[in-house]
Amino acid sequence: MKISAKSRYALRLMLALAMRGEGENLSVKSVADSQGISEKYLEQIIPVLVRSGLVRSVRGAKGGYHLTKDPEDYTVGLILRTVEGSIAPVSCLDDEVNRCARCKECVTLDLWEQVDQAISNVVDHVTLADLMDKQRRIDARRAAHSAQRGNC
């Protein structure tokens, strides 16, 4: 199973918005520039996030986009499902009730359910706040490394 570029970029966009700070708006162009993502691609993703209520759009000179909730309230699973729909590894697990005609005798169904549960256990327990903490640690290490090289 692969996570699509659309989902990866949506997660990077949401992280950029979270890192920006409360009450600050961020333009799609600035995210595209900082993340190395096509602005046109982000312009296809942002409406999905706005319609779902995860992101708010603000017009005007200081306009742009910002999160509607605190970063702790967004899980990676929520973001992926908003963009992708189901993230189940097989289509027969897309719905609450398995409608597959073979589900009663499918020898692999239990395997796919375990894979689905394992994925959900990860993505539903990692928040944007967790990713922000990791990003800050990476940034701090990078800054310390740069400072050390500058002193040599």
Side-chain angles (χ1 to χ4, degrees), residues 62-79:
K62 293 192 178 201
Y65 299 92
H66 64 265
L67 301 179
T68 58
K69 300 183 270 186
D70 293 329
E72 300 81 26
D73 297 327
Y74 295 91
T75 65
V76 171
L78 171 67
I79 296 164

Side-chain angles (χ1 to χ4, degrees), residues 87-99:
I87 59 171
V90 291
S91 61
C92 63
L93 297 177
D94 284 345
D95 300 318
E96 282 289 316
V97 176
N98 190 330
R99 290 177 170 51

Side-chain angles (χ1 to χ4, degrees), residues 135 137-147:
Q135 184 65 59
R137 287 194 302 272
I138 289 169
D139 293 346
R141 279 196 310 266
R142 185 180 305 133
H145 186 264
S146 294

Side-chain angles (χ1 to χ4, degrees), residues 6 45 51 53-54 56 60 95 97 104 106 112 119 126:
K6 184 177 180 181
I45 297 169
R51 275 193 305 274
L54 300 184
R56 183 163 179 252
D95 300 318
V97 176
K104 298 279 191 239
C106 181
W112 300 131
I119 292 168
V126 176

